[in-house]
Every structure is written in C-alpha cells, then in structure tokens.
Amino acid sequence: MTGELRTEVRQPVIAGNWKMYKTIAQAVDFVEKLKPVAARAHHCEVVIAPPFTALAAAAQAAKGSEIRIAAQDVHWENEGAYTGDVSAVMLVEAGATHVIIGHSERRQHHGETDNYVNWKLKAALVAGLTPIVCVGETLAEREAAQTPQVLARQFAGGLAGLTLTEFSRILIAYEPVWAIGTGRTATPETAAESHRAIRQLASRQFGESAAGQLRILYGGSVKPDNIGGLMAQEEIDGALVGGASLDPNSFADIVNYPRALSVVR
Ligand code: PGA
C-alpha cells in the first residue's frame, strides 16, 4: 500500500487511557516520572487520560511540560441536572486539552450510542478540546465479516454534521473490542486494513486532503513489544494504550517505540 491518501506528515500520538485507575497522588507521581520521557519524545505527542478526580492535579503537575491531559468522557451540555456527569467547560477548566469519546466500555456499560458520541463530540469541539473518537467492532461483528459496515455506521453517526474545520481537529482511535484488555492485539496488517477503511470513509465525507491529514490511533492490547510493529504501518498514526499505560516504564517504552522500522514521518 503506498498510502495514496497520505498528503501530509502526520505527527504520531501516544495516548494512555488509565480508565478507573490511579488516585490523585499516583497520578501526580506518574506525571513526574513521565515528564523527562515526554521532553525527549520529539517524534510524537504524549497524552494521558486520568480519571476525572485526578484531572486537575495531573494537569497542574504537567504544566510547562509536553504532556497533554485527556478526560475519558464528557457530557454534551455545559451544565444541568445530569448526576455524575462532567461538561466540556469543566474539563477545560481542570486543564484537559483532549477528551476520549465513545470508548467501547462506555458504549458497552453506559449505553453510549453513535448519537451521544456525536453530541459529545460537538460539545468538546465548541469547548476547544481535541476529541479522540473511538470506533471498532466486537468479536461477533468481526466473525460475521461486518467490520466495514460497523465502522461506516459509527463514523457516519458519530461524525454527523461536522464541518471540514471541525473534522480537521479530531483524532480517531480504531479499537477492535475483541482486542481491548484481552492481550489479543490485532496484527499490524489487520489494524492497518481497518485504518484504511476509516480513511476511505473520511475521504468520502470530508475529501481526500482532510482524510490524508486525519490521525488514526490503534488501541487494543498495545504493549512495549508490539508497538514497533504497529507503528511500522504507514496507516497507524499512534496508539491509545490502556493496561500498559499504567506503569510509567512500560508507557515510556511505548512512547519510545522502535523507530527503525517505522515509516519516516
Ligand atoms: P488495553 O485498552 O490497552 O488495555 O487493551 C485499550 C483501550 O481500551 O483504550
């Protein structure tokens, strides 16, 4: 694959999704350890997504460094009677620059639909956050050869009504559900195939140039020993890392993935 849709150099993004792990103290300790790693990582952007409670402290600790802070979810309203939810303006105030939207665990455990993803995405964009929109098929969908249809549905629903300018500000994470937390990573080739499908969808809806600039991260059991192979795929522009992002050393190894194999970026 020559990557005919590649029109721009896409700066890779390595993002750690901590899920429901780490206290405030643990988050701050992690940030202190990651700072020197991020300072040397000129080849990629480094993002961590602490739980809501640790967002402000992590952002404070990361101030002046290259580390960017993501929330793991957002509500679509600025304020209101929504017990347990947090709005985009609140996230910005806490120091977040990014937000993960539509993670499969939200879709699975919290009934998140493509409609909700769309509303959340628009709220995040209005607030100035960089959304990381997650898409990906379940094992049953993959086995039924439904992956392209699932990606098309999630893309069309989640990104409905976006302007070209708005689209140019988002990141997409392809996270096959069967690879999340299972130790079963998609092969680099399988992941790249889905990334290409997503880029084609982007090209059809937003044009070739915007699609060529879209950064698509892979997520699902990314570890220090498989990140090199994934990043060697021209289509893979970074990673959304769960379990292996909790330990500062393993996350540092992922940030510093072997680049000899990688495409020149
Ligand atoms: P994992 O999680 O790396 O633990 O599989 C990835 C994710 O859910 O973003």
Side-chain angles (χ1 to χ4, degrees):
M1 178 74 192
T2 53
E4 67 272 10
L5 288 178
R6 181 174 210 114
T7 56
E8 290 280 322
V9 174
R10 300 187 295 261
Q11 171 87 344
V13 179
I14 303 292
N17 172 14
W18 289 356
K19 312 192 178 184
M20 200 170 70
Y21 289 96
K22 292 196 192 293
T23 61
I24 293 173
Q26 289 167 339
V28 170
D29 183 56
F30 184 106
V31 169
E32 293 305 336
K33 291 187 173 124
L34 186 62
K35 269 187 196 173
V37 177
R40 287 191 298 270
H42 303 296
H43 60 284
C44 69
E45 293 171 19
V46 178
V47 182
I48 51 168
F52 286 139
T53 46
L55 269 184
Q60 189 61 35
K63 230 182 192 139
S65 80
E66 288 73 14
I67 303 169
R68 296 291 169 263
I69 305 292
Q72 298 175 16
D73 187 32
V74 62
H75 196 273
W76 53 86
E77 296 286 358
N78 278 341
E79 56 182 16
Y82 297 102
T83 304
D85 281 317
V86 177
S87 76
V89 287
M90 294 170 182
L91 297 179
V92 170
E93 188 196 30
T97 51
H98 293 61
V99 58
I100 298 170
I101 297 175
H103 190 280
S104 67
E105 285 153 14
R106 301 290 317 170
R107 293 178 190 259
Q108 192 184 337
H109 305 302
H110 298 268
E112 188 133 322
T113 62
D114 293 325
N115 254 343
Y116 289 156
V117 170
N118 188 244
W119 297 346
K120 290 176 176 199
L121 174 54
K122 287 174 177 163
L125 287 165
V126 168
L129 291 164
T130 299
I132 305 173
V133 182
C134 301
V135 296
E137 79 287 0
T138 62
L139 184 58
E141 289 164 341
R142 171 155 289 266
E143 284 173 347
Q146 289 296 306
T147 301
Q149 288 86 336
V150 171
L151 294 178
R153 189 186 68 230
Q154 292 176 339
F155 188 96
L159 276 59
L162 246 57
T163 65
L164 186 55
T165 313
E166 288 171 334
F167 175 74
S168 71
R169 291 174 45 208
I170 76 168
L171 305 173
I172 289 185
Y174 169 61
E175 297 208 308
V177 179
W178 46 271
I180 295 177
T182 58
R184 191 177 159 191
T185 329
T187 63
E189 293 73 22
T190 304
E193 191 184 332
S194 291
H195 283 221
R196 270 194 292 280
I198 293 166
R199 207 175 296 286
Q200 290 292 349
L201 293 166
S203 179
R204 256 176 258 143
Q205 193 165 332
F206 297 99
E208 207 169 304
S209 164
Q213 292 169 53
L214 172 69
R215 288 177 292 175
I216 307 174
L217 319 187
Y218 167 78
S221 298
V222 174
K223 307 278 181 247
D225 62 4
N226 59 29
I227 182 71
L230 289 161
M231 291 305 291
Q233 293 287 328
E234 187 178 7
E235 273 300 332
I236 300 182
D237 305 311
L240 183 54
V241 188
S245 74
L246 293 171
D247 173 68
N249 294 322
S250 94
F251 190 58
D253 287 345
I254 293 173
V255 167
N256 292 319
Y257 59 85
R259 290 189 292 287
L261 284 172
S262 306
V263 288
V264 178
R265 294 171 192 266

